[in-house]
Amino acid sequence: MQISEQTRGGTLVIQASGRLDSSSAGALEAVLPARIQANDKVVVNLSDVPYVSSAGLRVLLIGAKAARSGGHKLVLAGLSESVREVFDISGFTGLFAIEPDLESALAALG
Protein backbone atom coordinates (compact mmCIF):
# COMPACT_ATOMS: atom_id res chain seq x y z
CA MET A 1 0.00 0.00 0.00
CA GLN A 2 1.26 3.40 -0.96
CA ILE A 3 -0.22 6.54 0.57
CA SER A 4 0.29 10.08 -0.65
CA GLU A 5 -1.23 13.35 0.46
CA GLN A 6 -1.95 16.70 -1.13
CA THR A 7 -4.11 19.68 -0.31
CA ARG A 8 -6.58 20.93 -2.91
CA GLY A 9 -8.63 24.01 -2.16
CA GLY A 10 -8.48 23.56 1.60
CA THR A 11 -9.29 19.84 1.43
CA LEU A 12 -6.75 17.17 2.31
CA VAL A 13 -6.69 14.42 -0.32
CA ILE A 14 -5.27 11.09 0.79
CA GLN A 15 -4.47 8.88 -2.20
CA ALA A 16 -4.22 5.18 -1.41
CA SER A 17 -2.77 2.74 -3.93
CA GLY A 18 -2.69 -1.05 -3.69
CA ARG A 19 -4.63 -3.61 -1.74
CA LEU A 20 -6.16 -2.51 1.55
CA ASP A 21 -6.00 -5.74 3.52
CA SER A 22 -4.65 -7.11 6.79
CA SER A 23 -1.04 -6.73 5.69
CA SER A 24 -1.42 -3.10 4.58
CA ALA A 25 -4.24 -1.62 6.66
CA GLY A 26 -1.84 -0.59 9.41
CA ALA A 27 -0.14 1.91 7.10
CA LEU A 28 -3.43 3.74 6.51
CA GLU A 29 -4.46 3.42 10.16
CA ALA A 30 -1.19 5.10 11.14
CA VAL A 31 -2.12 8.31 9.28
CA LEU A 32 -5.88 8.49 8.69
CA PRO A 33 -7.32 9.33 12.14
CA ALA A 34 -4.70 11.99 12.85
CA ARG A 35 -5.11 13.60 9.41
CA ILE A 36 -8.88 13.69 9.82
CA GLN A 37 -8.59 15.27 13.26
CA ALA A 38 -6.17 17.91 11.88
CA ASN A 39 -8.24 18.80 8.77
CA ASP A 40 -11.86 19.89 8.48
CA LYS A 41 -12.34 18.24 5.08
CA VAL A 42 -10.69 15.01 3.94
CA VAL A 43 -11.11 12.91 0.80
CA VAL A 44 -9.75 9.37 0.70
CA ASN A 45 -9.28 8.54 -2.96
CA LEU A 46 -9.53 4.78 -3.45
CA SER A 47 -9.41 4.79 -7.26
CA ASP A 48 -6.12 2.83 -7.21
CA VAL A 49 -7.31 0.33 -4.59
CA PRO A 50 -8.50 -2.88 -6.26
CA TYR A 51 -9.40 -4.74 -3.05
CA VAL A 52 -10.57 -3.92 0.47
CA SER A 53 -10.76 -6.59 3.18
CA SER A 54 -12.50 -6.43 6.55
CA ALA A 55 -9.27 -5.02 8.02
CA GLY A 56 -9.42 -2.20 5.48
CA LEU A 57 -13.08 -1.55 6.26
CA ARG A 58 -12.18 -1.31 9.94
CA VAL A 59 -9.55 1.37 9.27
CA LEU A 60 -12.00 3.40 7.18
CA LEU A 61 -14.59 3.06 9.95
CA ILE A 62 -12.05 4.38 12.46
CA GLY A 63 -11.60 7.34 10.13
CA ALA A 64 -15.34 7.92 9.89
CA LYS A 65 -15.63 7.88 13.69
CA ALA A 66 -12.76 10.37 13.99
CA ALA A 67 -14.51 12.67 11.51
CA ARG A 68 -17.86 12.47 13.30
CA SER A 69 -16.41 13.01 16.75
CA GLY A 70 -14.51 16.09 15.60
CA GLY A 71 -17.26 17.55 13.43
CA HIS A 72 -15.12 17.05 10.33
CA LYS A 73 -16.11 15.81 6.88
CA LEU A 74 -14.78 12.64 5.27
CA VAL A 75 -15.63 11.59 1.71
CA LEU A 76 -14.50 8.42 -0.05
CA ALA A 77 -13.91 8.65 -3.78
CA GLY A 78 -13.25 6.40 -6.74
CA LEU A 79 -14.40 3.03 -5.43
CA SER A 80 -14.00 0.32 -8.06
CA GLU A 81 -16.95 -1.92 -8.77
CA SER A 82 -15.51 -4.75 -6.65
CA VAL A 83 -14.68 -2.43 -3.73
CA ARG A 84 -18.14 -0.86 -3.92
CA GLU A 85 -19.63 -4.37 -3.78
CA VAL A 86 -17.70 -5.06 -0.54
CA PHE A 87 -19.11 -1.84 0.93
CA ASP A 88 -22.64 -2.76 -0.18
CA ILE A 89 -22.51 -6.33 1.15
CA SER A 90 -21.01 -5.26 4.48
CA GLY A 91 -23.54 -2.46 4.95
CA PHE A 92 -20.81 0.19 4.99
CA THR A 93 -22.20 2.16 2.04
CA GLY A 94 -24.62 4.04 4.29
CA LEU A 95 -21.89 4.94 6.78
CA PHE A 96 -19.86 7.04 4.35
CA ALA A 97 -20.27 9.85 1.88
CA ILE A 98 -19.12 8.20 -1.36
CA GLU A 99 -18.49 9.99 -4.64
CA PRO A 100 -17.60 8.41 -7.99
CA ASP A 101 -14.32 10.31 -8.45
CA LEU A 102 -11.99 12.82 -6.84
CA GLU A 103 -13.45 15.87 -8.59
CA SER A 104 -16.98 14.97 -7.45
CA ALA A 105 -15.72 14.45 -3.89
CA LEU A 106 -14.02 17.86 -3.87
CA ALA A 107 -17.18 19.48 -5.24
CA ALA A 108 -19.32 17.75 -2.60
CA LEU A 109 -17.14 19.24 0.12
CA GLY A 110 -17.32 22.71 -1.42
Side-chain angles (χ1 to χ4, degrees), residues 14 44 53-54 56 64 68 100 110:
I14 298 173
V44 178
S53 73
S54 59
R68 284 193 187 98

Side-chain angles (χ1 to χ4, degrees), residues 5-14 39-44 73-75 102 105-110:
E5 300 175 27
Q6 65 175 323
T7 300
R8 292 193 43 192
T11 299
L12 176 66
V13 177
I14 298 173
N39 294 274
D40 290 335
K41 297 185 260 184
V42 177
V43 173
V44 178
K73 295 182 180 178
L74 171 66
V75 177
L102 177 57
L106 291 169
L109 288 171

Side-chain angles (χ1 to χ4, degrees), residues 17-98:
S17 301
R19 293 170 57 95
L20 183 51
D21 55 23
S22 59
S23 65
S24 63
L28 186 59
E29 186 175 3
V31 298
L32 187 61
R35 297 304 189 274
I36 289 171
Q37 291 171 351
N39 294 274
D40 290 335
K41 297 185 260 184
V42 177
V43 173
V44 178
N45 189 357
L46 299 173
S47 61
D48 293 331
V49 175
Y51 174 79
V52 175
S53 73
S54 59
L57 290 173
R58 181 178 90 43
V59 170
L60 294 171
L61 185 59
I62 289 169
K65 288 181 179 181
R68 284 193 187 98
S69 69
H72 300 231
K73 295 182 180 178
L74 171 66
V75 177
L76 305 182
L79 278 65
S80 68
E81 187 175 319
S82 60
V83 170
R84 179 63 185 240
E85 186 176 335
V86 169
F87 273 73
D88 291 343
I89 290 170
S90 64
F92 274 50
T93 305
L95 302 177
F96 294 93
I98 299 173

